[in-house]
Amino acid sequence: MAQGLLIDMDGVVYGGDILIPGADAFIDRLLKNDIPFMFMTNNSQRTRLDVVRKLKRLGIDVEEKHVYTSAMATGKFLAGQIPQGTAYVLGEGGLLTSLHESGITLGDTDPDFVVLGEGRNFTLEMVQRAVDMILAGAKFITTNRDPSPKKKGWANLGIAATTAMIEEATGVNAFVVGKPGPVMMRSARKALGLETADTTVIGDTMDTDIQGGVQMGYKTILVLSGITRAEDFRKYAFKPDLVVNSVNDIALPLDWWKK
């Protein structure tokens, strides 16, 4: 039975626009040894091709099949709920593409869903229209609930903040598709063609990748090259199966692959 990896990106492979040392060598080892893997990102703005191009600029040469986004998971989820449904979208690029490819029609009249993703191009007027649609019965879906990094000059308000604003205005809680939610964690694993027992998640955040993996019954590897520090472990009731400084410190095959 194949063993494979679901790999977070920011904090694991790169930090912003800078490659994390050794990440390119690690991905090269996966490719050379035909180990199934997929990059799993909560960012719904980028298309698969956008992600591939960014990785290529950093020296990592992969294909679109190696990328799975929250936008893709959202499209699959909506299509499963209401095939050929309609959606009013607050989002950009990758989200619009994924919904179209899933057979969801984009519109602004009595939609089945209001879908929120990352973006800077929608206005408060558009948000108010979304609020009215939700109050009229549209289902409120958000691609993920990642918080703002709370850094001066950050180019994105943070989808958690926008989600909270709409929830307060409507009294309706959003259904969250992305990590650590089970919808994305499960659909990414299925897209890679793996069984639960054969899936390992690599991430840098306890609250998303590791928590999501633990809840799904996947093995988990935490890298300390991103957000989480070793001293943060005491805050959590769960733990990863393995902790390393960076992905380049991961020895393959993994110990649990040998069993």
Side-chain angles (χ1 to χ4, degrees), residues 111-255:
D112 298 310
F113 306 100
V114 166
V115 183
L116 175 64
E118 292 92 347
R120 300 179 65 193
N121 294 328
F122 50 82
T123 64
L124 281 176
E125 181 180 356
M126 294 170 67
V127 171
Q128 184 61 61
R129 294 181 71 186
V131 167
D132 287 343
M133 292 170 182
I134 294 168
L135 290 173
K139 309 301 183 186
F140 182 26
I141 310 293
T142 184
T143 58
N144 65 82
R145 200 160 189 148
D146 287 357
S148 166
K150 300 173 180 61
K151 296 178 181 179
K152 184 179 179 181
W154 191 252
N156 195 319
L157 176 64
I159 192 168
T162 314
T163 301
M165 176 173 60
I166 296 175
E167 287 179 332
E168 199 285 328
T170 61
V172 175
N173 292 328
F175 182 86
V176 184
V177 173
K179 303 181 293 183
V183 171
M184 182 168 177
M185 300 299 293
R186 183 182 299 110
S187 61
R189 186 257 303 168
K190 288 183 176 179
L192 192 51
L194 298 177
E195 299 296 328
T196 296
D198 305 314
T199 304
T200 298
V201 175
I202 303 175
D204 71 309
T205 57
M206 290 290 286
D207 292 312
T208 52
D209 305 288
I210 305 306
Q211 179 177 320
V214 168
Q215 290 174 333
M216 293 301 297
Y218 305 156
K219 293 292 188 180
T220 57
I221 300 175
L222 177 73
V223 295
L224 299 178
S225 53
I227 292 175
T228 303
R229 305 269 71 88
E231 57 268 25
D232 296 332
F233 294 164
R234 60 183 177 81
K235 303 176 185 177
Y236 299 94
F238 56 91
K239 63 179 182 179
D241 294 283
L242 177 66
V243 180
V244 294
N245 288 322
S246 74
V247 287
N248 201 37
D249 295 323
I250 298 174
L252 298 173
L254 295 168
D255 286 343

Side-chain angles (χ1 to χ4, degrees), residues 30-200:
L30 298 181
L31 291 167
K32 287 182 177 178
N33 289 283
D34 293 321
I35 296 173
F37 72 93
M38 189 171 282
F39 293 111
M40 183 173 58
T41 174
N42 259 355
N43 189 305
S44 67
Q45 286 177 287
R46 298 192 188 105
T47 64
R48 277 178 143 181
L49 183 57
D50 292 334
V51 174
V52 167
R53 286 173 172 167
K54 174 171 183 173
L55 290 171
K56 190 173 183 64
R57 290 195 299 271
L58 295 174
I60 296 175
D61 195 3
V62 294
E63 301 175 43
E64 290 184 51
K65 69 179 182 179
H66 291 116
V67 177
Y68 197 82
T69 72
S70 66
M72 296 168 62
T74 300
K76 290 181 181 296
F77 173 74
L78 298 190
Q81 293 293 301
I82 304 179
Q84 306 300 315
T86 58
Y88 181 69
V89 180
L90 300 174
E92 299 172 8
L95 179 56
L96 301 176
T97 298
S98 292
L99 294 181
H100 175 74
E101 290 176 348
S102 297
I104 302 299
T105 300
L106 308 184
D108 56 7
T109 303
D110 298 324
D112 298 310
F113 306 100
V114 166
V115 183
L116 175 64
E118 292 92 347
R120 300 179 65 193
N121 294 328
F122 50 82
T123 64
L124 281 176
E125 181 180 356
M126 294 170 67
V127 171
Q128 184 61 61
R129 294 181 71 186
V131 167
D132 287 343
M133 292 170 182
I134 294 168
L135 290 173
K139 309 301 183 186
F140 182 26
I141 310 293
T142 184
T143 58
N144 65 82
R145 200 160 189 148
D146 287 357
S148 166
K150 300 173 180 61
K151 296 178 181 179
K152 184 179 179 181
W154 191 252
N156 195 319
L157 176 64
I159 192 168
T162 314
T163 301
M165 176 173 60
I166 296 175
E167 287 179 332
E168 199 285 328
T170 61
V172 175
N173 292 328
F175 182 86
V176 184
V177 173
K179 303 181 293 183
V183 171
M184 182 168 177
M185 300 299 293
R186 183 182 299 110
S187 61
R189 186 257 303 168
K190 288 183 176 179
L192 192 51
L194 298 177
E195 299 296 328
T196 296
D198 305 314
T199 304
T200 298

